[in-house]
Amino acid sequence: QKEVEQNSGPLSVPEGAIASLNCTYSDRGSQSFFWYRQYSGKSPELIMFIYSNGDKEDGRFTAQLNKASQYVSLLIRDSQPSDSATYLCAARGGGSYIPTFGRGTSLIVHP
Amino acid sequence: GAVVSQHPSWVICKSGTSVKIECRSLDFQATTMFWYRQFPKQSLMLMATSNEGSKATYEQGVEKDKFLINHASLTLSTLTVTSAHPEDSSFYICSARSGISYNEQFFGPGTRLTVL
């Protein structure tokens, strides 16, 4: 069974710090990985996706992928209180076009 | 960017009634639509996947006779919760994927269902 694991948190960081969110996946055939942000009571919104080993940067966000370790991370630089949300990691591939979602990590950025 | 809408955004109904939720892709054609359910502080749970013009594929444990899904066009999918009960109260979210932007899955704003 395909699994995506995330620490539920909450992860608490001060404003301006770097928040590091981690995710591991069980299916070695997974090819595409996604990070979504979900505010309380709202639906998820895509932050970024990555499918190659290494780093992918988009503004204050950097996704990191290590397929050998089956590990994906999201770094948020200069964290803001508005970044406080639940971050969902998803993996797709291995013969299926349906992504598998993790349970999400709650991030709290305090002023 | 691609926009997915859902209607209604919230609904309160009596136990035993049926509720229909619409999901529309507003500016793209959605070859595939997904229906999720999310209980408070829980992760997204995929209920079913539907492709336009064909029957939905339901996940294990999801009753297809209770959760009727129709994907009649490339821009519209509906989820009908039949004979709703309080345990069906949840946040229902649809998402859509176009045949062009394969890597992106766009979520609707969700529908909060409360069954009394």
Side-chain angles (χ1 to χ4, degrees):
Chain A
Q1 186 173 349
K2 300 173 185 176
E3 292 183 344
V4 175
E5 299 287 341
Q6 294 182 258
N7 188 316
S8 61
L11 172 66
S12 182
V13 300
E15 183 175 358
I18 296 175
S20 177
L21 304 161
N22 305 315
C23 170
T24 58
Y25 58 96
S26 64
D27 184 3
R28 199 168 272 282
S30 298
Q31 297 173 342
S32 301
F33 306 88
F34 306 83
W35 282 101
Y36 288 85
R37 176 175 61 196
Q38 186 176 24
Y39 292 111
S40 181
K42 303 294 184 181
S43 66
E45 54 179 326
L46 181 67
I47 297 174
M48 59 194 308
F49 63 86
I50 186 169
Y51 49 83
S52 297
N53 271 329
D55 296 1
K56 179 180 179 181
E57 186 175 317
D58 184 358
R60 294 187 297 115
F61 300 96
T62 299
Q64 299 175 317
L65 173 60
N66 184 325
K67 290 187 178 179
S69 301
Q70 296 177 238
Y71 178 91
V72 191
S73 65
L74 179 70
L75 301 178
I76 306 175
R77 289 181 299 280
D78 189 24
S79 296
Q80 301 297 309
S82 59
D83 294 326
S84 299
T86 296
Y87 289 79
L88 303 173
C89 171
R92 188 181 71 200
S96 172
Y97 64 89
I98 300 173
T100 300
F101 282 85
R103 297 172 67 85
T105 297
S106 173
L107 172 66
I108 299 173
V109 181
H110 53 87
Chain B
V3 178
V4 176
S5 70
Q6 271 184 252
H7 178 81
S9 56
W10 59 270
V11 57
I12 302 173
C13 69
K14 293 182 179 179
S15 184
T17 60
S18 294
V19 175
K20 179 185 282 189
I21 302 170
E22 291 188 350
C23 176
R24 293 181 185 272
S25 56
L26 298 185
D27 52 1
F28 68 100
Q29 293 184 326
T31 53
T32 306
M33 285 188 171
F34 306 88
W35 286 96
Y36 293 87
R37 180 167 54 180
Q38 188 176 37
F39 293 105
K41 299 192 183 301
Q42 300 292 313
S43 186
L44 295 173
M45 187 190 83
L46 180 65
M47 300 176 67
T49 303
S50 71
N51 293 297
E52 184 265 339
S54 62
K55 290 184 178 180
T57 301
Y58 290 81
E59 294 298 299
Q60 192 172 8
V62 178
E63 299 175 58
K64 62 180 181 181
D65 293 331
K66 180 170 181 63
F67 299 99
L68 302 178
I69 292 172
N70 186 295
H71 192 165
S73 76
L74 284 171
T75 59
L76 173 65
S77 177
T78 60
L79 166 67
T80 301
V81 183
T82 62
S83 187
H85 291 284
E87 57 266 29
D88 298 323
S89 299
S90 188
F91 191 42
Y92 291 85
I93 311 172
C94 74
S95 73
R97 191 187 68 176
S98 76
I100 298 175
S101 184
Y102 184 79
N103 262 329
E104 298 191 62
Q105 186 175 331
F106 304 98
F107 283 86
T111 297
R112 177 81 54 194
L113 170 63
T114 302
V115 185
L116 302 177

